[in-house]
Amino acid sequence: MKRLLFFVFCLIAAPAFAAKPTPIGQLNVVAFGGNVGQLPSVIFANSYGQAWLSVTNAPAVALPADCSTTKLRVIRDALALQYPSAHYFIFFGAPCNFGEIHQSAPASMYMKGTIYSSVLVHEFAHAMGHYHPHQVDCSFADPVDISCPRSWADFGDWMQIPLAHANGPHKEQLRWITVPLITTDGTFNLTPMHTSGGLKAIKTPFPNPFGHPTLPTFVMVEWRQDPAMLTGLYTQYTDGVMVHVTERYCISRDPCTEAWDSYALDMRPQSKAVGDQRDPALPYGSSYTFPENGLKITVGFPTGGTVPVTLDVP
């Protein structure tokens, strides 16, 4: 299935570039080049070759100087008439402090910020339906204490680190992976999220901790060995398995388009300090039983490119 997307850039005063206005060729190199970390390669790698981005230059459009969303909608609507099959319009422009707005028919996003490839990856993920990935580290005892969820805090997701892969909930949302629903006890061999092939994640039903008892909620387990996460601040994302609580719901479109809120849990709540976001993985050779429903997760040690995870399902 092809999707037509428009990226509309304000090229007058983007601080990422020395030349003003920004040459379109320079923008293509920075934003859409084929290097690692730039949007086409990120999409191709995250989707395991199932999705890719082809870029074609369109004629320049005169953006309004005041960057009002009303005037930008006029541009959007004009483009929508000319290109009725367009799925998204994504507006960028550093001089224009117009924030983010989600629209529909057609879907649109108005962005603020410098035109960097990392920003482009982040905002493109929004356009694909992702919300900011959260991390929860509110208690020394209970990883599912959701009294202080932190947006932008899951460093195991491409919205936070463009060189990292998307987390399991986001990849399942885009149907780039299939995550089996586990309802009976068993042991499952996970393969690293950034590699193609094999089982990437498993999920099991979980009581909704957000006060939304009618929404499907799961605990999802995945194994991260992304090269970008094996050094520096993120090594304790990779010395065990990552555990997320995910909540599925319909965003306000007809027909329903599913979205996922994802919350990375701190599976070492007694280590370091409450609020520390650098050691969330459940370490190799350990287990944890959730007091909320008795679910027990046990992780073994990696061997032969997989890591065994045992679920004792209530």
Side-chain angles (χ1 to χ4, degrees), residues 147-173:
S147 61
C148 65
R150 290 173 172 81
S151 183
W152 286 11
D154 180 2
F155 290 94
D157 187 74
W158 66 342
M159 295 190 75
Q160 191 71 23
I161 305 178
L163 290 177
H165 274 236
N167 64 25
H170 280 166
K171 286 207 177 190
E172 185 184 29
Q173 179 186 351

Side-chain angles (χ1 to χ4, degrees), residues 149-288:
R150 290 173 172 81
S151 183
W152 286 11
D154 180 2
F155 290 94
D157 187 74
W158 66 342
M159 295 190 75
Q160 191 71 23
I161 305 178
L163 290 177
H165 274 236
N167 64 25
H170 280 166
K171 286 207 177 190
E172 185 184 29
Q173 179 186 351
L174 295 175
R175 297 183 174 88
W176 288 344
I177 61 173
T178 299
V179 181
L181 178 64
I182 308 303
T183 56
T184 58
D185 298 352
T187 298
F188 309 89
N189 292 316
L190 300 183
T191 57
M193 183 63 73
H194 73 285
T195 63
S196 60
L199 180 63
K200 297 303 172 194
I202 52 177
K203 65 183 180 183
T204 190
F206 194 76
N208 189 296
F210 311 104
H212 309 143
T214 62
L215 295 181
T217 308
F218 308 93
V219 159
M220 186 179 294
V221 185
E222 64 188 76
W223 186 31
R224 305 305 297 267
Q225 295 293 291
D226 307 31
M229 299 170 62
L230 291 176
T231 59
L233 300 177
Y234 315 113
T235 56
Q236 289 180 303
Y237 279 73
T238 61
D239 62 353
V241 294
M242 290 291 295
V243 181
H244 290 85
V245 167
T246 69
E247 180 182 59
R248 186 178 68 193
Y249 54 93
C250 292
I251 57 180
S252 55
R253 295 180 189 168
D254 186 18
C256 169
T257 299
E258 286 188 349
W260 290 88
D261 257 347
S262 65
Y263 295 78
L265 303 182
D266 179 13
M267 300 309 297
R268 288 179 273 205
Q270 296 180 349
S271 69
K272 299 185 180 180
V274 169
D276 181 81
Q277 301 168 10
R278 299 178 185 174
D279 64 341
L282 181 63
Y284 301 133
S286 66
S287 63
Y288 182 80

Side-chain angles (χ1 to χ4, degrees), residues 89-201:
F89 298 96
I90 306 175
F91 290 80
F92 276 86
C96 310
N97 190 27
F98 42 72
E100 302 178 12
I101 299 177
H102 296 257
Q103 300 290 330
S104 59
S108 302
M109 302 194 73
Y110 305 97
M111 308 301 171
K112 63 181 178 181
T114 303
I115 303 172
Y116 294 116
S117 58
S118 58
V119 176
L120 189 60
V121 170
H122 179 100
E123 305 304 355
F124 178 83
H126 276 311
M128 298 295 284
H130 294 349
Y131 295 112
H132 289 153
H134 306 284
Q135 190 179 65
V136 177
D137 186 6
C138 308
S139 167
F140 281 119
D142 184 4
V144 192
D145 180 345
I146 52 88
S147 61
C148 65
R150 290 173 172 81
S151 183
W152 286 11
D154 180 2
F155 290 94
D157 187 74
W158 66 342
M159 295 190 75
Q160 191 71 23
I161 305 178
L163 290 177
H165 274 236
N167 64 25
H170 280 166
K171 286 207 177 190
E172 185 184 29
Q173 179 186 351
L174 295 175
R175 297 183 174 88
W176 288 344
I177 61 173
T178 299
V179 181
L181 178 64
I182 308 303
T183 56
T184 58
D185 298 352
T187 298
F188 309 89
N189 292 316
L190 300 183
T191 57
M193 183 63 73
H194 73 285
T195 63
S196 60
L199 180 63
K200 297 303 172 194

Side-chain angles (χ1 to χ4, degrees), residues 7-92:
F7 298 82
V8 183
F9 294 91
C10 178
L11 303 179
I12 301 304
F17 307 104
K20 317 291 188 203
T22 302
I24 189 66
Q26 190 175 8
L27 171 65
N28 281 345
V29 171
V30 173
F32 299 116
N35 295 329
V36 173
Q38 294 175 331
L39 186 59
S41 62
V42 170
I43 294 172
F44 192 81
N46 267 272
S47 68
Y48 313 107
Q50 300 173 78
W52 54 92
L53 183 68
S54 299
V55 180
T56 302
N57 291 336
V61 176
L63 294 181
D66 63 3
C67 291
S68 70
T69 54
T70 299
K71 292 184 178 180
L72 289 174
R73 289 190 188 110
V74 171
I75 295 175
R76 180 202 68 184
D77 293 342
L79 288 170
L81 288 174
Q82 187 176 359
Y83 301 96
S85 61
H87 189 61
Y88 286 106
F89 298 96
I90 306 175
F91 290 80
F92 276 86

